[in-house]
């Protein structure tokens, strides 16, 4: 998994057809998805319950790009090894999910995955200032985590700008999760983000029998985000 700052679209399979994950993943990758984003929720840290390591292991053979696993769970440390063994390329834990984020990030890397840290909307950019030598990705939540389809929180644009300045030339991805569509994507790309997670904005109107719609949606987000550099 090489590093670059080009715009990457990471469809969230939380918005896919749960009964058809394998074909859905193949469809979005064929239509231009750069990463596949897996939202893991525990019904405790966030008010929803989604996927576990077994499901991640089951879909791993279908993913040819990057398996980006976002752990919205607490505690997180006891489950890192299982998600790494399931094939996660990137494992992201929330800074709010436990008292020892350094230990969490060390465990992710020790298990062979890239280490990500996520920030809820109310958590300031300064919270990761002393973690920059330990992370490969910072995920900025632009909605409160727990459900797809929420409204984008615009105050997070300034947070991303601050993170971008803080990161400088370090090889750290800035990922945005929540409310991304062709309207909000350019705001975040302009602020310094390079990985855009999109659920409903990618999957709306499409299906495995009409995958070209996924491609149209992905291109619309990418072109909107890339337009800030035109």
């Amino acid at each position: 998994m090489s590093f670059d700052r080009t715009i990457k679209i990471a469809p969230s399979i939380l918005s896919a057809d749960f009964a058809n994950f394998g074909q859905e993943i193949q469809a979005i990758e064929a239509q231009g998805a750069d990463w596949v984003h897996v939202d893991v929720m525990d019904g405790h840290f966030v008010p929803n319950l989604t996927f576990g390591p077994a499901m991640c292991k089951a879909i791993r053979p279908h993913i040819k790009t990057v398996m980006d696993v976002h752990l919205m769970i607490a505690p997180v440390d006891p489950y890192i090894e299982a998600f790494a063994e399931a094939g996660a390329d990137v494992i992201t834990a929330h800074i709010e999910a436990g008292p020892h984020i350094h230990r969490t990030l060390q465990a992710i890397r020790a298990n062979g995955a890239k280490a990500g840290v996520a920030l809820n909307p109310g958590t300031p950019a300064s919270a990761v200032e002393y973690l920059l030598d330990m992370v490969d990705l910072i995920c900025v939540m632009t909605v409160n985590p727990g459900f797809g389809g929420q409204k984008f929180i615009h105050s997070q644009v300034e947070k991303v700008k601050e993170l971008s300045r803080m990161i400088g030339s370090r090889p750290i991805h800035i990922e945005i999760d929540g409310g991304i569509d062709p309207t909000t994507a350019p705001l975040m790309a302009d602020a310094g983000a390079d990985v855009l997670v999109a659920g409903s904005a990618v999957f709306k109107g499409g299906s495995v029998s009409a995958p070209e719609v996924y491609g149209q949606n992905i291109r619309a987000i990418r072109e909107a985000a890339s337009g800030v550099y035109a």
Side-chain angles (χ1 to χ4, degrees), residues 39-52 70-76 79 83 97 146:
D39 287 306
V40 176
M41 305 181 188
D42 64 358
H44 169 70
F45 180 67
V46 293
N48 200 359
L49 185 64
T50 59
F51 319 121
H70 179 187
L71 300 182
M72 288 171 270
I73 65 176
V76 64
Y79 302 97
F83 281 101

Side-chain angles (χ1 to χ4, degrees), residues 16-185:
D17 177 0
F18 281 25
N20 212 4
F21 271 147
Q23 285 188 285
E24 288 275 55
I25 288 165
Q26 291 167 19
I28 58 173
E29 289 192 331
Q31 292 295 324
D34 301 289
W35 293 12
V36 175
H37 189 80
V38 184
D39 287 306
V40 176
M41 305 181 188
D42 64 358
H44 169 70
F45 180 67
V46 293
N48 200 359
L49 185 64
T50 59
F51 319 121
M55 196 283 291
C56 291
K57 184 176 182 180
I59 65 172
R60 175 71 256 196
H62 299 280
I63 299 174
K64 307 306 180 188
T65 57
V66 172
M67 186 175 184
D68 177 31
V69 176
H70 179 187
L71 300 182
M72 288 171 270
I73 65 176
V76 64
D77 290 8
Y79 302 97
I80 289 170
E81 183 177 3
F83 281 101
E85 289 180 351
D89 295 300
V90 182
I91 298 176
T92 297
H94 273 258
I95 198 168
E96 307 89 359
H100 305 296
I101 189 62
H102 286 81
R103 182 179 299 161
T104 301
L105 296 170
Q106 287 170 340
I108 293 171
R109 284 186 166 179
N111 279 279
K114 298 289 187 182
V117 61
L119 305 177
N120 282 339
T123 302
S126 59
V128 299
E129 184 175 359
Y130 296 104
L131 302 175
L132 296 180
D133 62 340
M134 304 184 69
V135 297
D136 303 289
L137 177 147
I138 299 172
C139 176
V140 176
M141 296 300 301
T142 44
V143 300
N144 285 294
F147 296 98
Q150 296 185 69
K151 188 176 180 181
F152 181 86
I153 300 174
H154 280 267
S155 62
Q156 303 307 293
V157 175
E158 288 303 316
K159 182 190 292 185
V160 173
K161 290 180 180 178
E162 184 178 350
L163 285 169
S164 184
R165 290 191 293 268
M166 196 183 299
I167 289 168
S169 61
R170 294 178 179 89
I172 300 173
H173 296 290
I174 299 179
E175 179 176 73
I176 309 301
D177 190 353
I180 288 296
D181 59 26
T183 301
T184 56

Side-chain angles (χ1 to χ4, degrees), residues 4-16:
D4 66 72
R5 293 206 179 278
T6 60
I7 294 296
K8 289 162 282 293
I9 309 300
S12 168
I13 60 169
L14 190 62
S15 296

